[in-house]
Amino acid sequence: MIKIFGKIRYHWQPELTLAIIYWSLSLTPIFISLALLYERAQISTALFVMFFLFLLLMGIGFHRYFLIKENQLYIASANLFASRKIQIKSISKIEVTILSIKIYSTAFPHGKVFYMRKWPKKFFINDLVRNPHFQGSIELTDHMIAQDYFEEYYSEKAKSVR
C-alpha cells in the first residue's frame, strides 16, 4: 500500500510461480552486467543496456496495483494494455484467503485471483467495503486452517466497535 499524489495504491502480485519466474528474469540483466564489468574492468555500452533493461523490468514488475476511485476499481497489471476499470457496484463477492483475494464481478464471472500481502489486503478490503457503491459480500475463507490469519482481523474489528 503506497500513497502517491494523494491516491492510495494497493499492490498485488501474480501467482507465486509466475512471480518467481518474472523476478528471476528481471534480476538476470543486472547480474550479467556486473559479470561483464568484472571481466572487462571498463564500462561499456552493454553494461548500460543491461542496467536499463533491469530498471525497465523492475518498473514493469511493480506496476500491479488496485486503485479505488469514487465508483470504480482500477486494476493495473504489468501488461499496460490489460489494465481495466470495473464498477464497484458490479462486484458481487470477494473471497479473502491467507495469501490472496478472489474478485467476482460482471468482468470476472468465474473470479480472478490476486495475491497480496497481509496488510495491503486488509486495508484494501476495508476501504472497498466502506465505499458506498459496494453492494457485494466478503467471504473469509481458510479460517482456522493451520494459521488463524483472521483472528487478528476479528479482534481489531471488535476493538473498534467497543
Side-chain angles (χ1 to χ4, degrees), residues 48-60:
F48 286 115
V49 169
M50 292 289 191
F51 187 71
F52 177 74
L53 182 62
F54 163 72
L55 290 178
L56 180 70
L57 289 172
M58 289 294 286
I60 291 172

Side-chain angles (χ1 to χ4, degrees), residues 5-161:
F5 301 119
K7 298 177 183 176
I8 298 176
R9 295 180 174 188
Y10 306 94
H11 288 273
W12 58 273
Q13 287 293 320
E15 185 182 358
L16 184 60
T17 55
L18 293 175
I20 290 172
I21 291 169
Y22 179 81
W23 288 111
S24 297
L25 291 175
S26 68
L27 291 174
T28 302
I30 195 73
F31 291 120
I32 291 173
S33 66
L34 289 174
L36 289 174
L37 181 66
Y38 181 71
E39 289 293 324
R40 295 189 184 160
Q42 65 181 2
I43 297 175
S44 63
T45 56
L47 178 74
F48 286 115
V49 169
M50 292 289 191
F51 187 71
F52 177 74
L53 182 62
F54 163 72
L55 290 178
L56 180 70
L57 289 172
M58 289 294 286
I60 291 172
F62 283 115
H63 190 264
R64 296 181 183 106
Y65 61 89
F66 295 114
L67 184 62
I68 300 174
K69 295 187 178 177
E70 191 170 317
N71 62 348
Q72 291 181 347
L73 177 64
Y74 179 73
I75 304 171
S77 65
N79 183 354
L80 300 175
F81 303 109
S83 299
R84 53 175 44 191
K85 295 178 183 178
I86 59 173
Q87 297 294 325
I88 292 178
K89 64 182 177 184
S90 72
I91 298 173
S92 59
K93 182 171 83 168
I94 297 179
E95 289 182 1
V96 182
T97 65
I98 292 173
L99 299 174
S100 66
I101 62 170
K102 189 172 188 178
I103 298 177
Y104 294 90
S105 71
T106 55
F108 311 121
H110 299 291
K112 182 156 173 79
V113 178
F114 300 96
Y115 290 87
M116 297 179 77
R117 291 178 304 140
K118 179 180 178 180
W119 291 108
K121 179 174 37 176
K122 180 184 175 201
F123 288 118
F124 170 70
I125 294 298
N126 286 341
D127 289 345
L128 191 62
V129 169
R130 288 184 188 143
N131 191 307
H133 299 284
F134 182 74
Q135 300 169 353
S137 63
I138 303 290
E139 183 179 325
L140 303 174
T141 57
D142 288 351
H143 185 60
M144 301 295 236
I145 298 175
Q147 171 189 1
D148 193 6
Y149 168 76
F150 297 109
E151 184 175 325
E152 182 176 344
Y153 180 82
Y154 286 130
S155 65
E156 286 183 16
K157 194 173 181 181
K159 287 177 187 176
S160 66
V161 171

